[in-house]
């Protein structure tokens, strides 16, 4: 067992973080242009719906 944390997990370099928001928007966008924010992200203070400007 390796006691040292992986640098990829520690700095999120193992994730395509620049692609996370566009992916969430694409997957949860409704026909009227609003985006239903997933429950797991609402726990971090995001609103239930995002509306186009």
């Amino acid at each position: 067992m390796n006691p040292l944390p992986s640098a990829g997990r520690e700095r999120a370099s193992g994730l395509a973080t620049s692609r996370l928001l566009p992916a969430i928007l694409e997957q949860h966008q409704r026909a009227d242009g609003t985006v239903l924010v997933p429950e797991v992200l609402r726990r971090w203070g995001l609103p239930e719906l995002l509306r186009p400007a």
Side-chain angles (χ1 to χ4, degrees):
M1 188 165 167
N2 186 356
L4 299 175
S6 168
R9 288 190 309 248
E10 194 171 297
R11 296 191 182 106
S13 60
L15 300 172
T17 53
S18 63
R19 294 183 177 196
L20 288 176
L21 183 57
I24 290 168
L25 294 175
E26 289 174 2
Q27 294 298 313
H28 297 280
Q29 188 173 21
R30 297 175 168 183
D32 65 356
T34 59
V35 176
L36 180 63
V37 176
E39 176 64 33
V40 69
L41 296 177
R42 286 187 236 152
R43 294 180 201 156
W44 290 90
L46 292 171
E48 184 175 348
L49 277 178
L50 299 176
R51 293 181 173 81

